[in-house]
Amino acid sequence: MLHVEVWRSADRGRFQPFAVPRRPNQTVLDVVTEIQRDHDPTLSYRFACRVGMCGSCAMVVNGRPRWTCRTRVVDAVTTDGKLRLEPLRNLTVVKDLAVDMVAFFDKWMRARGFFEPGAAIPEDFAVVRPESEERRAADEGIECIGCGICYSACDVVAWDEAYLGPAALNRAWTLVNDIRDGAQGERLDAVAGDSGCHACHTHMSCTTYCPKAIAPTYSIAGLKRAVVRRAVRRSR
Amino acid sequence: MRGRPHTQPGFIAALLHRLSGLALAVFVPFHFLALATVLNGADALDSFLSLAATPLVRLSETGLVAALALHMALGLRVLAIEFLGVREQTITAVSACIGVAVAFGVSFLLNAG
Amino acid sequence: MTALLFVVQRASAVVLALAVVVHLATIVYAVRGGLTAGEILERTQGNVAYLAFYGVFVVAVAVHAPIGLRNVLREWLGWKGRACDGALVLFAFVLFALGLRAVTALYLA
């Protein structure tokens, strides 16, 4: 028997206990779904693909932010059969286990985490060599699906509401390495500053928990170097 | 704190770096004041130094030496990650930094007697 | 911190890395068999190399510590803005003044 505590957000919020039988190959998503279907239909939670592609099911399982569809119960449960489910940290709770991702994506925009073609119309297709340094750097971070796990894990986000966060900065880094992009100066301005890349203190929680094995810490280090290089060049 | 992730080695590193930095920031002004007692003559500095010969002070000094070594070692780790693009086994790197700090602390203590 | 503060912080860190290694080695060596004012002054009095080295050390400390503190105050105490920055500039001056005073005192003693 699994002893599951699920965060319910009504009133001041509390953990509601459930007893769920163990089943073979059970994932935490299976557990939450069983609770919502058979025990308490008022429970709100998110999932979509259930096969580790969309990132919708991200939540905190026994203190660790992860995808519930890719977390087997045997890997997450404590020795005395306990599972504690909470919504992602650092984001406003909409209801129960579902959080509001708007702030997360707002920061994405603020970090200029979007491609900008620039004013000049290119004469021909851009040649981006796959083995080039920039392409390889971009490749390392390009697989991000915006699940919010790194953002939930980040202590600096918890300490500073304005901190752009690992996902937005990682995306900005992939674009800094996009040789076709026409807004590099503005992007580096956007990611520098008091709540930008310099606020990362290499705790590396983001890198530890990213289910896509992306290392935002090293992307952010790249941004730091890029900002310094630009500052040195401008001062000449 | 809701859903706080389990303490990671990177977090321990950052915490130790920060705490040692704070300790040093508090200590350094007093260090400057103590050294400047020599303005009242070498004897003034000597009498201050002899005060420092007590076990409690020796232990605090050892702690400060270790804190300085720790802050430097962890700082070098940060510089390596940020500017040399080093990718590390965090646990190993952080343990090595703590080892350096302990080494300096112990050699100070043994030499100071 | 801003890009400028970041550059200054990291640059002073590199300077301090070198200075601190020398300082730690000196401490561990010099403290053998006890340390007297006379022993210190023997090394520092009229020694221009000492003056230059520790002068640079003091300047590096005077910028590195306040910028580091700024992060801690922002993130752990939520202190931001001009008043906080003003206090940190003051702290930088205090470190600079006290540090140079101590270094020159040992040089001129």
Side-chain angles (χ1 to χ4, degrees), chain B residues 19 66 71 79 82 100 113:
Chain B
L19 293 177
H71 193 79
L79 287 175
E82 289 183 350
V100 164

Side-chain angles (χ1 to χ4, degrees), chain A residues 62-63 88-89 203 209 224-225, chain B residues 2-3 5-6 8 10 14 82:
Chain A
N62 281 351
L88 287 178
R89 189 168 70 133
H203 293 192
Y209 288 113
K224 289 171 177 170
R225 288 193 293 276
Chain B
R2 186 199 353 144
H6 294 204
Q8 302 293 324
E82 289 183 350

Side-chain angles (χ1 to χ4, degrees), chain B residues 23-109:
Chain B
L24 290 163
V26 167
F27 163 71
V28 162
F30 294 105
H31 185 47
F32 290 158
L33 285 169
L35 289 170
T37 57
V38 80
L39 288 168
N40 298 328
D43 292 333
L45 181 57
D46 254 327
S47 61
F48 178 83
L49 288 173
S50 57
L51 277 178
T54 67
L56 180 62
V57 176
R58 273 286 175 262
L59 215 58
S60 318
E61 288 176 345
T62 309
L64 283 163
V65 166
L68 181 59
L70 184 63
H71 193 79
M72 175 193 70
L74 289 170
L76 287 172
R77 171 184 169 258
V78 170
L79 287 175
I81 291 175
E82 289 183 350
F83 291 101
L84 301 177
V86 165
R87 313 231 164 165
E88 54 168 27
Q89 267 284 9
T90 310
I91 298 180
T92 310
V94 175
S95 307
C97 292
I98 296 177
V100 164
V102 169
F104 270 106
V106 168
S107 18
F108 173 80
L109 190 60

Side-chain angles (χ1 to χ4, degrees), chain A residues 1-4 18-23 26 31 73 77 81-83:
Chain A
M1 219 32 157
L2 289 171
H3 306 283
V4 190
F18 296 94
V20 174
R22 292 203 196 222
R23 303 182 194 285
Q26 198 178 29
V31 171
V73 167
V77 74
K82 291 209 171 89
L83 268 182

Side-chain angles (χ1 to χ4, degrees), chain B residues 68-69 72 104, chain C residues 15-26 53 57:
Chain B
L68 181 59
M72 175 193 70
F104 270 106
Chain C
V15 170
L16 284 170
L18 299 162
V20 164
V21 166
V22 171
H23 192 53
L24 279 171
T26 310
F53 177 79
F57 198 163

